[in-house]
Amino acid sequence: MSASPVTARADAPPVLSEALLRRFDAPGPRYTSYPTADRFVEAFGPADCLRALSQRAHGATVGGPAPLSVYVHIPFCESVCYYCACNKVITRHHERAAEYLDALDTEIGLVRAALGPREQVSQLHFGGGSPTFLSDAELDRVVTSLRRAFRIAAGAEMSIEVDPRTVTAMRLAHLRQLGFNRVSFGVQDFDPQVQQAVHRVQPFDSVRELMKSARAQGFESINADLIYGLPRQTPESFARTVAQIGELRPDRIALYAYAHLPQRFKPQRRIVADELPSASQRVAMLGGAIAGFLGRGYSYIGMDHFALPDDALAVAKRQGRLHRNFQGYSTQPDCDLIGLGVSAIGRIGASYHQNAKTLPEYYDALRQGQLPVVRGIALSRDDLVRRAVIMALMCQGRVEFESIELAHLIKMRDYFASELEQLAPLAEAGLVEIERDAIQVTAAGWYVVRAVAMVFDRYLQNDKLRERFSRII
Ligand code: SF4
């Protein structure tokens, strides 16, 4: 494999060689939270979540309550995509939504009761599964319940994930009427062979018409999700998808790597392993996509994300105002998050919690009048310091020692002595610069920023130590 540089244009400076991508673009957490959800414990349950909500309600959080964001998980999909690793329920029985919406109403009521007065919400996101599995009337019902429980701020971000196979221009118009102003299309790949191999057939023309219509209807931001590493993809075929996306010109692009874990995710067992691209093809696809999007005028936001230069995310990145939450990068300041629905994750103050992952468990808890929280975590002082460092790296690409030292009463060089040593290979590779009073992620380092963040993840470091220890004995 050659170590040819990935460049935006022939005259642009190299941003990362394929050799470095190979070495440092290791699978790892996306850090939509720290600690990551796999570290949540069952000892944290509904009572802990209620306590956190009531502390928020009584203004017991330092500096007053954070702005509020709400996430609603709709788990249903009509048919399964073979690459899927989401928490979803595959069904053609649309009547199943009614029971779910009843449960969701109960959950909204319990949260509202714990929070007290109707709170203002600055960000609302519907994800899944496929939120557009719901009919127009069912979506009306959920939005009405939410508006009854919360005050949705004027100018709030209201976003929804859309499966292009389940919407028409009329449905998009209805979403707009309901107040949604951002829409995210699951595209993944436009190649018909690839679409067949992953059981998600949605022709380019239909996605183009939907995006056109979303734009005409005044959605402020249109996102397209892509995946590389899928069966039957080649660097050449994926370059065609990248060019087609360039033609549609969504405001934002999320580019994810497919992780083939058939033991963990049952639908992936239907993927023919022999049809998966090789490691070097994957690196070429990633490199080609980065160069393709930069060459078409997109800005690199951070891990997996690109945006047009005048999109709010790109502006926030330039101004150092990016944040990160369970929906990925956000322009919203550090929010508390109410997660509603099966498997949804929330964050209140210095704690995270997650709802039951199966519908029977979720329904049972709510029938008993209990929040359906089954695990979570109260952050320790160490978690809070590391969260601040990891989020600064992921969002600003820079950690100023002084700001962390003042906020957390530590000495960065003492507290993170071992981590700073571990950054040395990344510094030698030109991915970070360790200054006297700061850590700076370089332009090339942004492409592997999660590898930089992983150095500060105590849980991962402990796993590594344990692994080494078990090998020694
Ligand atoms: S990828 Fe999305 S639409 Fe496909 S099965 Fe998974 S959740 Fe449903």
Side-chain angles (χ1 to χ4, degrees), residues 185-246:
F185 290 95
V187 172
Q188 329 311 359
D189 190 297
F190 281 126
D191 187 289
Q193 294 298 319
V194 177
Q195 291 191 353
Q196 264 172 24
V198 298
H199 199 238
R200 184 177 176 123
V201 175
Q202 45 185 36
F204 171 70
D205 289 348
S206 70
V207 177
R208 182 181 52 202
E209 288 315 303
L210 286 171
M211 278 202 196
K212 222 161 102 184
S213 151
R215 197 161 284 128
Q217 286 166 26
F219 282 92
E220 286 164 31
S221 185
I222 298 173
N223 176 81
D225 283 348
L226 296 181
I227 304 181
Y228 71 93
L230 292 175
R232 300 188 195 164
Q233 270 178 341
T234 63
E236 296 72 32
S237 77
F238 199 58
R240 284 195 294 276
T241 289
V242 167
Q244 284 168 305
I245 284 289

Side-chain angles (χ1 to χ4, degrees), residues 417-430:
S418 139
E419 286 78 359
L420 290 168
E421 255 175 52
Q422 289 176 59
L423 283 182
L426 289 135
E428 274 162 34

Side-chain angles (χ1 to χ4, degrees), residues 130-149:
S130 304
T132 46
F133 178 92
L134 299 184
S135 66
D136 286 354
E138 286 164 340
L139 281 165
D140 282 358
R141 177 181 166 185
V142 185
V143 172
T144 305
S145 289
L146 290 167
R147 286 192 187 276
R148 215 175 284 133

Side-chain angles (χ1 to χ4, degrees), residues 387-400 404 446:
R387 177 165 83 178
V389 171
I390 287 174
M391 293 307 163
L393 287 168
M394 301 291 294
C395 298
Q396 276 79 51
R398 185 172 177 85
V399 183
E400 298 279 357
I404 303 286
W446 264 110

Side-chain angles (χ1 to χ4, degrees), residues 77 79-81 83-84 86 88 90 128-130 163 165 200:
C77 302
S79 85
V80 68
C81 312
Y83 55 80
C84 183
C86 301
K88 79 282 171 196
I90 305 296
S130 304
D163 178 341
R165 298 167 300 173
R200 184 177 176 123

Side-chain angles (χ1 to χ4, degrees), residues 141-344:
R141 177 181 166 185
V142 185
V143 172
T144 305
S145 289
L146 290 167
R147 286 192 187 276
R148 215 175 284 133
F150 303 101
R151 268 181 305 121
I152 299 185
E157 277 185 15
M158 284 181 67
S159 55
I160 185 163
E161 293 167 14
V162 162
D163 178 341
R165 298 167 300 173
T166 61
V167 291
T168 57
M170 265 171 70
R171 292 214 75 195
L172 287 175
H174 182 253
L175 292 174
R176 193 69 196 93
Q177 265 171 22
L178 281 178
F180 288 99
N181 47 26
R182 283 152 202 275
V183 68
S184 177
F185 290 95
V187 172
Q188 329 311 359
D189 190 297
F190 281 126
D191 187 289
Q193 294 298 319
V194 177
Q195 291 191 353
Q196 264 172 24
V198 298
H199 199 238
R200 184 177 176 123
V201 175
Q202 45 185 36
F204 171 70
D205 289 348
S206 70
V207 177
R208 182 181 52 202
E209 288 315 303
L210 286 171
M211 278 202 196
K212 222 161 102 184
S213 151
R215 197 161 284 128
Q217 286 166 26
F219 282 92
E220 286 164 31
S221 185
I222 298 173
N223 176 81
D225 283 348
L226 296 181
I227 304 181
Y228 71 93
L230 292 175
R232 300 188 195 164
Q233 270 178 341
T234 63
E236 296 72 32
S237 77
F238 199 58
R240 284 195 294 276
T241 289
V242 167
Q244 284 168 305
I245 284 289
E247 200 183 305
L248 301 184
R249 218 143 177 84
D251 304 276
R252 299 177 186 179
I253 299 163
L255 171 69
Y256 299 113
Y258 170 62
H260 189 57
L261 299 167
Q263 312 80 351
R264 259 179 80 192
F265 304 112
K266 216 166 148 197
Q268 297 186 356
R269 293 179 201 161
R270 297 168 81 169
I271 282 185
V272 181
D274 286 348
E275 293 185 345
L276 289 170
S278 66
S280 59
Q281 284 180 310
R282 286 169 63 102
V283 171
M285 280 185 233
L286 174 59
I290 292 172
F293 295 135
L294 297 185
R296 287 174 174 83
Y298 283 87
S299 306
Y300 186 70
I301 298 303
M303 207 183 61
D304 311 328
H305 287 78
F306 299 81
L308 289 174
D310 55 356
D311 182 85
L313 266 193
V315 175
K317 163 102 186 268
R318 285 198 295 278
Q319 297 177 345
R321 289 188 295 102
L322 261 194
H323 293 272
R324 197 156 170 79
N325 60 26
F326 287 102
Q327 281 85 63
Y329 284 107
S330 164
T331 55
Q332 299 284 310
D334 245 5
C335 289
D336 275 351
L337 170 70
I338 305 288
L340 299 166
V342 67
S343 78

Side-chain angles (χ1 to χ4, degrees), residues 56-57 65-71 111-112 115-124 146-158 332-338 348:
R56 180 187 159 93
L68 202 58
S69 176
V70 173
Y71 171 74
V111 171
R112 162 80 208 272
L115 277 178
R118 220 166 131 243
E119 285 222 37
Q120 175 160 297
V121 165
S122 56
Q123 190 184 39
L124 174 65
L146 290 167
R147 286 192 187 276
R148 215 175 284 133
F150 303 101
R151 268 181 305 121
I152 299 185
E157 277 185 15
M158 284 181 67
Q332 299 284 310
D334 245 5
C335 289
D336 275 351
L337 170 70
I338 305 288
I348 305 290

